[in-house]
Amino acid sequence: MGYRTRVTGAIQISPPIPWSILDGSRFVGPPHRRIVDMDCVLRVVEQVAEGGDGSTVRRVAVAITGAMPERYCAYNLLDHVQKIIDLFGEGRTFTGRLTCTGDEPGDIWRVEVHDGRAVRVEPRIVWPDGTEGLTA
């Protein structure tokens, strides 16, 4: 079974990634792809544009999210977020975070994007008296 992590939140992508360069990507999840083999997926939305000869629907990726709503083995999450940045990041900004909560008490961390790099951010523990760390 392995160690499981709940991944919540999203990393927003601006400008959105057009479907024309996403179609067939391993990072496109349901409902556009049935099987997800990556630790994160691109949230794809449909945008309707009204034109002179009717409306046009186009798909774009607007965010990076966890691959599943339930806990899963997210061993490669940081690498997979970086892969999305490397593949589709030119001319785009990534803002927000993925919050990861593991099976053990106190096991919490984030994935954020800093200067085009996916970074694992660990929390800092501060006791009410102002001291830091896990010791008394």
Side-chain angles (χ1 to χ4, degrees), residues 67-125:
M68 295 175 232
E70 64 273 358
R71 292 180 179 276
Y72 62 98
C73 297
Y75 300 132
N76 299 305
L77 180 62
L78 190 66
D79 292 335
H80 290 171
V81 170
Q82 186 61 53
K83 186 99 164 151
I84 289 173
I85 295 166
D86 293 344
L87 288 170
F88 307 112
E90 188 172 335
R92 292 185 172 80
T93 58
F94 298 84
T95 55
R97 66 183 57 93
L98 299 175
T99 301
C100 305
T101 308
D103 289 333
E104 301 296 324
D107 184 11
I108 186 167
W109 50 283
R110 292 177 173 170
V111 175
E112 298 176 354
V113 179
H114 296 251
D115 299 320
R117 302 300 309 163
V119 178
R120 180 179 170 130
V121 178
E122 302 283 342
R124 187 180 78 176
I125 296 173

Side-chain angles (χ1 to χ4, degrees), residues 5-136:
T5 302
R6 179 175 310 285
V7 180
T8 59
I11 298 172
Q12 304 301 319
I13 304 168
S14 180
I17 305 167
W19 183 257
S20 60
I21 61 175
L22 288 178
D23 194 11
S25 170
R26 294 174 63 195
F27 291 102
V28 174
H32 305 290
R33 191 160 172 258
R34 292 177 50 105
I35 298 172
V36 175
D37 57 352
M38 306 307 282
D39 288 347
C40 58
V41 294
L42 292 162
R43 181 186 306 144
V44 176
V45 299
E46 293 183 349
Q47 297 177 335
V48 178
E50 297 295 330
D53 54 348
S55 60
T56 304
V57 176
R58 68 182 197 126
R59 291 183 183 147
V60 294
V62 297
I64 303 169
T65 65
M68 295 175 232
E70 64 273 358
R71 292 180 179 276
Y72 62 98
C73 297
Y75 300 132
N76 299 305
L77 180 62
L78 190 66
D79 292 335
H80 290 171
V81 170
Q82 186 61 53
K83 186 99 164 151
I84 289 173
I85 295 166
D86 293 344
L87 288 170
F88 307 112
E90 188 172 335
R92 292 185 172 80
T93 58
F94 298 84
T95 55
R97 66 183 57 93
L98 299 175
T99 301
C100 305
T101 308
D103 289 333
E104 301 296 324
D107 184 11
I108 186 167
W109 50 283
R110 292 177 173 170
V111 175
E112 298 176 354
V113 179
H114 296 251
D115 299 320
R117 302 300 309 163
V119 178
R120 180 179 170 130
V121 178
E122 302 283 342
R124 187 180 78 176
I125 296 173
V126 178
W127 292 99
D129 67 1
T131 59
E132 292 188 32
L134 298 174
T135 59

